[in-house]
Amino acid sequence: MTAHRPTSQPDPALVPFADNSASRTIGGMTVENGTDSIAFYGQTDLSRDKAGLERARALLAFMQQVVETLEAQKDLPDVLPPRKPARVANPFA
């Protein structure tokens, strides 16, 4: 189950690349954690007001965590190999 946290505040529980299930929402932008990649989807406005500043800070804080996590990995590959498709049993068979 995916844990959605609709807040603009930094979420210390969302550790970049730590799992394949956690996500959070910043404005209308969803950040979905993964062990190999992090997905961003949706849309948010960084308006010229306090709410926009709060969303910008939340995005910046998470991106800084991502950069620090990647920089700390000593064996970071140039590029990940393509994923091999997994076989899934037919639920209708």
Side-chain angles (χ1 to χ4, degrees), residues 3-38:
H4 289 281
R5 293 177 175 83
T7 178
S8 297
Q9 298 300 316
D11 184 357
L14 184 61
V15 178
F17 307 106
D19 58 52
N20 286 317
S21 62
S23 69
R24 67 179 290 209
T25 302
I26 300 170
M29 178 76 64
T30 299
V31 179
E32 191 170 81
N33 212 15
T35 54
D36 289 337
S37 65
I38 296 171

Side-chain angles (χ1 to χ4, degrees), residues 40 58-68:
F40 292 84
L59 287 167
L60 180 62
F62 183 73
M63 291 304 297
Q64 187 61 42
Q65 283 182 291
V66 170
V67 169
E68 289 169 2

